[in-house]
Amino acid sequence: MKVNKRAIINGIVAGLAIIVIIGFAIKPKTDNETSTNNRGQVSIGGDFSLIDHNGVRRGKDDFKNNYMLVYFGYSFCPDVCPLDLQKITMALSTLEGEGVDLSSLQTLFITIDPERDTPEVMNEYLKNFHPSILGLSGSVDEVKQAAQAYRVYYNKGEVQVDGTYLMDHSSIIYLMNGEGNYAKHFSPEQAPNEIADGIKHILDND
Ligand code: NI
């Protein structure tokens, strides 16, 4: 029988390509994407030790039995952070307007730029937003630990001649339930009413 070598080689190449493709498709997702704890919940959140915008040290236990809306950002952010804080403010105001009891919900704005965002700076900055939002800052290491617990990415940009710099960071609003576990998250694309509805749904049903 005459064997067409080229056809065999083509067959082997195609076969290997399929194996590689299948291999990628079934590759277990990385820890970051699907990490869950033993109760099947996404493991986002954890303990932290930070200073609030009134100068009081705060940890996760201070918000025990509270739902927490958690957002990481920085006060010098030129665009995304103020917009997101404005959205959170509008969502909270909408819920208040609807008569939803928000006494069990604590919103936290955690800086990822502790070098500039001192408690005093946070205090001043947060006057622009909903009065229930609590700002948290701390040492570089304390902030790093909190960001790691929430799987928040951030990176300090190049310092300019005038000493200013930008922070690159992920912008996700986390809603944590009364046990301090992840319940839901919102992305910067979502409208205030969607955030309000999501909060209401968790407060009503969780
Ligand atoms: Ni920002």
Side-chain angles (χ1 to χ4, degrees):
M1 194 175 80
K2 195 179 176 190
V3 179
N4 183 335
K5 275 191 189 164
R6 175 147 292 233
I8 291 172
I9 291 167
N10 283 347
I12 291 168
V13 169
L16 285 175
I18 288 168
I19 289 165
V20 169
I21 290 165
I22 291 172
F24 272 111
I26 62 171
K27 181 175 131 319
K29 289 192 174 171
T30 62
D31 191 47
N32 256 345
E33 288 164 319
T34 57
S35 178
T36 54
N37 63 23
N38 55 14
R39 290 160 64 200
Q41 290 153 327
V42 180
S43 61
I44 285 172
D47 206 4
F48 54 81
S49 180
L50 296 164
I51 309 279
D52 74 20
H53 71 238
N54 298 311
V56 180
R57 185 157 286 277
R58 302 285 202 155
K60 182 186 170 190
D61 284 351
D62 289 318
F63 309 104
K64 226 184 326 197
N65 306 320
N66 275 337
Y67 293 84
M68 292 191 295
L69 201 59
V70 183
Y71 184 71
F72 286 76
Y74 69 115
S75 75
F76 288 82
C77 182
D79 39 41
V80 178
C81 293
L83 276 177
D84 282 347
L85 288 169
Q86 194 56 46
K87 277 187 196 180
I88 290 170
T89 296
M90 287 168 75
L92 296 175
S93 300
T94 300
L95 291 169
E96 283 172 337
E98 290 171 2
V100 176
D101 178 15
L102 293 180
S103 58
S104 64
L105 178 73
Q106 177 62 60
T107 303
L108 301 177
F109 176 59
I110 305 178
T111 185
I112 44 86
D113 183 18
E115 292 173 66
R116 287 184 294 188
D117 281 339
T118 61
E120 296 74 28
V121 170
M122 297 285 269
N123 191 317
E124 202 54 39
Y125 181 64
L126 287 172
K127 286 176 184 165
N128 299 302
F129 304 102
H130 195 278
S132 71
I133 301 174
L134 191 67
L136 295 175
S137 185
S139 71
V140 169
D141 281 344
E142 286 165 347
V143 164
K144 190 172 163 191
Q145 196 209 328
Q148 276 172 351
Y150 281 84
R151 291 160 185 270
V152 167
Y153 156 83
Y154 65 98
N155 190 42
K156 185 176 172 176
E158 202 183 315
V159 180
Q160 303 298 305
V161 184
D162 64 359
T164 63
Y165 55 89
L166 295 174
M167 299 292 293
D168 190 20
H169 68 100
S170 48
S171 304
I172 297 174
I173 304 163
Y174 291 111
L175 180 56
M176 311 298 287
N177 68 18
E179 286 138 25
N181 295 318
Y182 168 90
K184 194 174 175 58
H185 72 268
F186 306 99
S187 66
E189 294 79 41
Q190 288 183 268
N193 66 316
E194 284 180 85
I195 298 171
D197 287 349
I199 292 172
K200 196 174 167 198
H201 186 80
I202 295 293
L203 292 182
D204 285 350
N205 298 295
D206 197 63

